[in-house]
């Protein structure tokens, strides 16, 4: 009998309308069980651990990520897989953070949730939960089929650090345009084995130190020097700069000087694109040649969520600046590709 641990953090899946105000608020796991009697018919031994307090995922933070990682570490050998029930708003951040914190993962950690509460008639929660359990328990030759931190939502399984929430109105809430889906659920559950990370001799190790000394600079035409300097000179170690197209910025000298000074003072500037599909190619255009020359770090095709959490993870490791920059540009958990090898027909956007 497969043993699966469900970790319940909150999110719409377990919410109910407050009788007085009408707003949706999270409720305990018992009503999820009441609404999915099918769980009792599954051939798994399911244990549920509820976090306290149960939260809307907009209240998620790195302390909870550490608690999640600790919970998985504590029970790693007891269970075949883990399902984390989580609000969809910040699910991609949690999945990305866990992908970095759980090194050498040999078992599935599947995050799921829903757009409609489990108690509502048209809910998407039941299918999401039941298929997530199926994925968490899927094995081949005694090994987990998906030894990754992933997100299952609306029939698709995504690599956690490649996905982001792009739609708050449709059941299809997530996309992963720079990496193909890991599995699709229809009449059959089809795994895209070539795209799933292998874990043959991996040694499981949990990293629990995260450092949030980061800020984000989102560029737009006409951004003022005051706005740039406020962020670049803020008291943080690293800045994620969301640039145009393939990693381009204005070539105004005042702007480039601000960045140069910040880098000289020891700040890390990580370039990711505002485009959701494609890759940062520093030096491809004149508008990024100087960035490369001054030491801006390329985020390649990382999602914003992966960039934020990878920085928190690497800053928490107390590395030298050179090593930090080098690892930011290195594929650690399948979060980035350096060349656009994506077959566009396979892209799900
Ligand atoms: N606000 C909710 C949350 O992220 C939305 C959801 O669960 O889909 O917790």
């Amino acid at each position: 009998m497969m043993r699966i641990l469900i970790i319940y953090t909150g999110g719409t899946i377990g919410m109910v309308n407050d009788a007085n105000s009408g707003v949706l608020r999270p409720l305990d796991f018992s009503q999820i069980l009441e609404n999915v009697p099918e769980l009792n018919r599954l051939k798994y031994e399911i244990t549920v651990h509820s976090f306290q307090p149960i939260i809307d995922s907009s209240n998620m933070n790195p302390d909870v990520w550490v608690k999640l990682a600790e919970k998985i570490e504590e029970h790693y050998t007891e269970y075949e897989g883990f399902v984390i029930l989580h609000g969809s708003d910040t699910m991609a951040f949690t999945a990305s953070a866990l992908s970095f914190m759980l090194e050498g993962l040999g078992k599935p950690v599947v995050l799921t949730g829903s757009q409609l509460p489990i108690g509502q008639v048209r809910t998407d929660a039941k299918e999401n939960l039941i298929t997530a359990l199926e994925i968490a328990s899927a094995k081949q030759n005694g090994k987990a089929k998906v030894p990754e931190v992933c997100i299952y939502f609306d029939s698709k399984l995504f690599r956690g650090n490649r996905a982001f929430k792009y739609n708050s109105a449709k059941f299809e809430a997530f996309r992963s345009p720079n990496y193909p889906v890991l599995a699709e659920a229809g009449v059959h559950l089809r795994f895209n084995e070539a795209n799933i990370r292998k874990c043959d001799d991996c040694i499981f190790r949990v990293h629990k130190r995260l450092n949030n000394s980061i800020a984000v600079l989102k560029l737009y035409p006409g951004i003022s020097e005051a706005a740039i300097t406020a962020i670049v000179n803020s008291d943080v170690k690293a800045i994620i700069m969301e640039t145009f197209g393939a990693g381009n910025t204005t070539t105004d000298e005042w702007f480039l000087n601000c960045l140069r000074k910040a880098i000289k003072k020891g700040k890390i500037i990580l370039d990711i694109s505002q485009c959701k599909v494609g890759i940062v190619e520093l030096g491809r255009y004149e508008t990024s040649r100087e960035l490369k020359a001054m030491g801006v770090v390329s985020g390649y095709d990382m999602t914003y969520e992966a960039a934020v959490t990878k920085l928190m993870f690497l800053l928490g490791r107390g590395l030298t600046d050179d090593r930090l920059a080098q690892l930011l540009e290195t594929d650690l958990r399948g979060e980035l590709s350096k060349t656009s090898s994506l077959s566009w027909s396979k892209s799900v956007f």
Side-chain angles (χ1 to χ4, degrees), residues 242-279:
E242 280 198 74
T243 56
F244 310 121
N248 306 316
T249 64
T250 171
T251 48
D252 280 351
E253 215 26 59
W254 65 264
F255 171 78
L256 295 175
N257 271 336
C258 279
L259 299 189
R260 265 189 215 107
K261 272 193 219 150
I263 291 171
K264 277 212 178 96
K265 280 191 204 147
K267 291 216 198 292
I268 301 281
I269 300 189
L270 176 65
D271 185 336
I272 62 167
S273 176
Q274 291 175 21
C275 292
K276 296 293 189 190
V277 189
I279 203 163

Side-chain angles (χ1 to χ4, degrees), residues 9-15 24 26 55-59 86-91 113-116 153 165 168 173-174:
T9 67
T12 300
I13 190 165
M15 287 189 187
L24 280 169
I55 54 170
D56 183 301
S57 78
S58 297
N59 282 319
H86 194 291
S88 62
D89 288 351
T90 63
M91 189 182 288
S114 64
Q115 294 282 56
L116 283 177
F153 225 93
K165 183 172 181 180
S168 60
F174 290 88

Side-chain angles (χ1 to χ4, degrees), residues 48 59 89 91 113 122 187 203 217 227 275 320 332 345:
V48 180
N59 282 319
D89 288 351
M91 189 182 288
R122 278 194 319 107
V187 172
I203 297 168
L217 171 59
C275 292
T320 61
L332 300 179
S345 58

